[in-house]
């Protein structure tokens, strides 16, 4: 779906890092984000899936659960969801006009317009406020510290999915630097959880949490999960249970486990969700583009870096032992496609 020529034209501006432009845009719109509560999610691999699991869990707990993700697969409206339903075309059009007027005002005052992603993020805040969302699961676009979503004040919880080498020209050349950038979503006094395979990434996130005075749970230290043939076993404060993930590839265990950790953290903020309801929410979660079956022998997956391709290959071996595959890949030029292949 094409939005309209106005907001589409902002795509040519690309990315701009720094929060000043986004803050100026939100001021023009009355700071809609200030009346919302968030769960903020960053990472390199699995953050979209973690967001989907988290939103499903919140919905099962009785909250009006907003979900803002990027990019979309086929329709821009996918990025904006409330209790699983996309934003309506009417709301998208009306709010687009409002955001464009605010972008024009920023252009006049600052000499440059907000970017496409900044405009869409502002639109999301407006819509979730209009819909009276109880909690919004907010996916970082790129990085964390200087991402447009990081204008929010302290979220109810921050989750950091596995970090890997990506966007090195922007985020830094080392895994530690990239992880530190991702951990920029941590706030003073905030609650956070992370799943990291690489000890350097975990060390950088722990350092950032200490610098910012955030309380951090780390998988393997503060809570534990172990993939099982049917899902994963989760053990941590207040919960020990094996959860099943029907119709989900094996690599989703870590993402689901991180979402459960977020829910356990939120118990300190008054969230109540019994174990059977957690199981139902996880089992009901669907996230297109992750080993999605398009036909009897056709699968689609959004893996875009070597770590994600490793997880994809492992899932294929486990789910379809001995099968040979014809693989069609499409990459942007900044991706490490040789290592992926």
């Amino acid at each position: 779906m094409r939005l309209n020529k106005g907001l589409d034209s902002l795509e040519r501006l690309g990315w701009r890092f720094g929060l000043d432009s986004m803050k100026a845009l939100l001021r023009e719109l009355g700071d809609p984000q200030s009346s919302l509560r968030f769960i903020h999610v960053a990472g390199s691999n699995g953050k979209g899936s973690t967001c989907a699991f988290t939103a499903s869990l919140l919905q099962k707990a009785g909250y009006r659960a907003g979900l803002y993700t990027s990019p979309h697969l086929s329709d821009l409206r996918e990025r904006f969801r409330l209790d699983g339903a996309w934003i309506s075309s009417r709301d998208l059009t009306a709010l687009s006009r409002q955001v464009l007027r605010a972008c024009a005002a920023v252009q006049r005052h600052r000499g440059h317009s907000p970017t496409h992603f900044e405009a869409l993020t502002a639109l999301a805040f407006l819509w979730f406020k209009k819909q009276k969302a109880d909690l919004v699961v907010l996916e970082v676009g790129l990085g964390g510290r200087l991402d447009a979503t990081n204008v929010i004040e302290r979220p109810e919880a921050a989750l950091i999915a596995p970090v890997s080498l990506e966007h090195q020209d922007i985020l830094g050349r080392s895994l530690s630097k990239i992880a530190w950038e991702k951990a920029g979503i941590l706030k003073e006094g905030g609650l956070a959880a992370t799943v990291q395979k690489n000890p350097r990434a975990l060390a950088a996130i722990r350092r950032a949490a200490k610098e910012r005075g955030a309380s951090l749970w780390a998988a393997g230290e503060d809570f534990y999960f172990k993939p099982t043939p049917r899902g994963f076993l989760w053990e941590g404060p207040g919960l020990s249970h094996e959860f099943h993930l029907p119709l989900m590839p094996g690599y989703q265990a870590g993402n689901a486990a991180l979402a459960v950790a977020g829910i356990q953290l939120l118990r300190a903020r008054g969230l109540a969700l019994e174990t059977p309801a957690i199981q139902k929410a996880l089992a009901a979660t669907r996230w297109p583009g992750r080993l999605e079956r398009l036909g009897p022998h056709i699968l689609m997956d959004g893996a875009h870096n070597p770590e994600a391709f490793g997880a994809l290959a492992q899932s294929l071996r486990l789910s379809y032992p001995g099968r040979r595959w014809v693989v069609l890949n499409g990459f942007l030029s900044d991706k490490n496609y040789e290592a992926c292949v």
Side-chain angles (χ1 to χ4, degrees), residues 16 18 21-22 25 99 113-123 148:
R16 181 189 302 114
S21 177
M22 185 65 186
L25 174 59
V99 170
S113 173
T115 65
H116 187 247
F117 184 71
E118 288 170 335
L120 293 179
T121 303
L123 191 155

Side-chain angles (χ1 to χ4, degrees), residues 161-177:
V163 174
S164 62
L165 292 174
E166 60 166 355
H167 302 291
Q168 291 172 265
D169 55 328
I170 298 171
L171 300 178
R173 294 295 175 182
S174 70
L175 187 64
S176 294
K177 180 62 168 64

Side-chain angles (χ1 to χ4, degrees), residues 305-336:
N305 56 44
E307 287 76 12
F309 263 75
L312 170 60
Q314 183 179 21
S315 289
L316 289 174
R317 285 194 294 269
L318 290 173
S319 301
Y320 305 94
R323 177 171 292 180
R324 294 174 59 86
W325 294 91
V326 174
V327 182
L328 174 63
N329 291 331
F331 291 93
L332 294 176
S333 61
D334 66 331
K335 304 302 180 187
N336 188 357

Side-chain angles (χ1 to χ4, degrees), residues 49-256:
S49 299
T50 299
C51 285
F53 283 121
T54 303
S56 182
L57 288 162
L58 292 175
Q59 187 177 349
K60 185 63 69 173
Y63 292 90
R64 285 176 61 78
L67 176 61
Y68 176 62
T69 59
S70 61
H72 57 278
L73 291 180
S74 59
D75 191 313
L76 186 73
R77 293 187 300 138
E78 295 171 36
R79 299 184 184 220
F80 317 89
R81 306 182 193 215
L82 185 72
D83 288 344
W86 296 0
I87 188 174
S88 69
S89 297
R90 176 178 294 182
D91 279 350
L92 183 59
T93 300
L95 293 176
S96 296
R97 294 189 181 116
Q98 186 177 348
V99 170
L100 277 172
R101 289 193 294 269
C103 286
V106 173
Q107 173 78 47
R108 290 193 300 271
H109 300 325
R110 303 182 62 87
H112 61 78
S113 173
T115 65
H116 187 247
F117 184 71
E118 288 170 335
L120 293 179
T121 303
L123 191 155
F125 293 153
L126 284 172
W127 186 61
F128 290 130
K129 180 180 179 180
K130 176 183 176 182
Q131 297 296 319
K132 296 180 171 59
D134 295 320
L135 277 166
V136 175
V137 183
L138 184 67
E139 182 185 5
V140 167
L142 198 159
R145 182 175 64 95
L146 298 177
D147 184 75
T149 63
N150 207 30
V151 294
I152 65 171
E153 297 182 1
R154 188 178 70 190
E156 301 300 307
L159 306 177
I160 304 178
V163 174
S164 62
L165 292 174
E166 60 166 355
H167 302 291
Q168 291 172 265
D169 55 328
I170 298 171
L171 300 178
R173 294 295 175 182
S174 70
L175 187 64
S176 294
K177 180 62 168 64
I178 294 172
W180 185 84
E181 287 287 343
K182 304 276 187 183
I185 67 170
L186 303 182
K187 302 294 196 302
E188 180 74 30
L191 302 176
T194 189
V195 169
Q196 298 299 326
K197 298 177 181 178
N198 191 293
R200 287 176 296 157
L202 178 57
I205 294 169
R206 280 210 175 279
R207 184 174 71 251
K210 185 176 181 180
E211 291 170 355
R212 293 173 173 82
S215 175
L216 178 70
W217 280 5
E221 297 178 11
D222 305 289
F223 69 95
Y224 302 84
F225 76 94
K226 179 181 179 181
T228 65
R230 301 176 63 188
F232 65 99
L233 175 66
W234 199 98
E235 293 185 0
L239 179 65
S240 178
H241 191 76
E242 181 180 355
F243 295 103
H244 301 156
L245 297 175
L247 306 179
M248 284 284 186
Y251 63 71
Q252 291 289 18
N255 303 324

